[in-house]
Amino acid sequence: MDLKETIRSIPDWPIKGVIFRDLTTLMQNPLAFKKSCDILYDRYKDMSIDKIVGIDARGFVFGAVLAYKLGIGFIPVRKKGKLPWKTIQETYSLEYGEDTLEIHEDAVEKGEKVVIVDDLIATGGTVGATVKLVKKLEAQIIECAFIVELPELKGRDQIQDCKVFVITEFEGE
């Protein structure tokens, strides 16, 4: 099964000229969802990872499954104001303005090995902010993992000092 074929492409959303890659169709397909989660598990099962960091919101879906399968903890990185305890913050630029992500200040311990997971990397703003948050907590980032990459948007430029793993990509499509 080609996972790419299970991802819905929506032209001109959220604005004209953008093709939105909708992974909800992959997630609702039991074989595609299982395959994508199994690919992530097979990649990390022998790497002695301590925790999975999932990015709000679809990074929670894939990250939580991966943490469960690995038998390790899951750490949510959320949009500002959504976490109930003491947090640290990182603000990043959007096309129109900026946004802020947060993580609990006790989410990871110094030196812990983590993998950051999200569904898609496009411009890299959210993952770039997440990398900065994890580094502030002095954890070791093993890799950033994504189901889909949109390489023409150069999101990797935001995380040049981290290894990146991608299952599939849409380049200029």
Side-chain angles (χ1 to χ4, degrees):
M1 163 185 300
D2 182 1
L3 291 178
K4 217 168 152 174
E5 293 176 5
T6 68
I7 298 167
R8 178 174 28 218
S9 296
I10 303 170
D12 298 323
W13 198 88
I15 59 173
K16 188 166 181 62
V18 171
I19 300 175
F20 184 80
R21 306 304 178 174
D22 180 12
L23 273 75
T24 61
T25 50
L26 178 147
M27 292 185 285
Q28 71 192 29
N29 179 317
L31 295 176
F33 185 55
K34 182 178 185 326
K35 181 177 179 179
S36 57
C37 292
D38 287 347
I39 289 168
L40 292 174
Y41 172 73
D42 288 342
R43 179 155 183 92
Y44 299 110
K45 66 183 178 186
D46 297 321
M47 289 194 187
S48 300
I49 307 297
D50 296 305
K51 295 192 176 135
I52 299 298
V53 175
I55 301 175
D56 197 345
R58 288 179 298 255
F60 294 174
V61 175
F62 296 98
V65 170
L66 179 58
Y68 171 78
K69 288 183 73 148
L70 292 171
I72 61 176
F74 174 78
I75 307 300
V77 169
R78 305 241 20 218
K79 293 179 177 118
K80 185 177 179 177
K82 300 292 185 179
L83 291 173
W85 201 69
K86 296 175 186 174
T87 62
I88 60 170
Q89 301 179 352
E90 187 66 37
T91 299
Y92 62 99
S93 295
L94 299 168
E95 190 174 352
Y96 302 104
E98 55 186 30
D99 207 348
T100 301
L101 293 177
E102 297 180 323
I103 189 171
H104 279 138
E105 65 181 26
D106 63 352
V108 294
E109 294 179 26
K110 182 178 179 177
E112 281 190 309
K113 296 177 183 175
V114 304
V115 171
I116 297 172
V117 177
D118 205 359
D119 65 326
L120 183 140
I121 180 170
T123 62
T126 55
V127 71
T130 301
V131 165
K132 289 176 183 172
L133 287 170
V134 171
K135 286 184 175 186
K136 284 180 185 177
L137 296 177
E138 300 183 60
Q140 179 185 352
I141 301 169
I142 301 303
E143 205 162 58
C144 295
F146 307 92
I147 307 305
V148 173
E149 180 178 19
L150 306 178
E152 70 274 6
L153 297 179
K154 303 189 184 316
R156 287 182 190 233
D157 292 352
Q158 300 294 322
I159 52 170
Q160 291 178 359
D161 55 345
C162 293
K163 291 182 182 176
V164 174
F165 174 72
V166 174
I167 294 175
T168 190
E169 63 181 39
F170 289 87
E171 185 160 16
E173 298 170 41

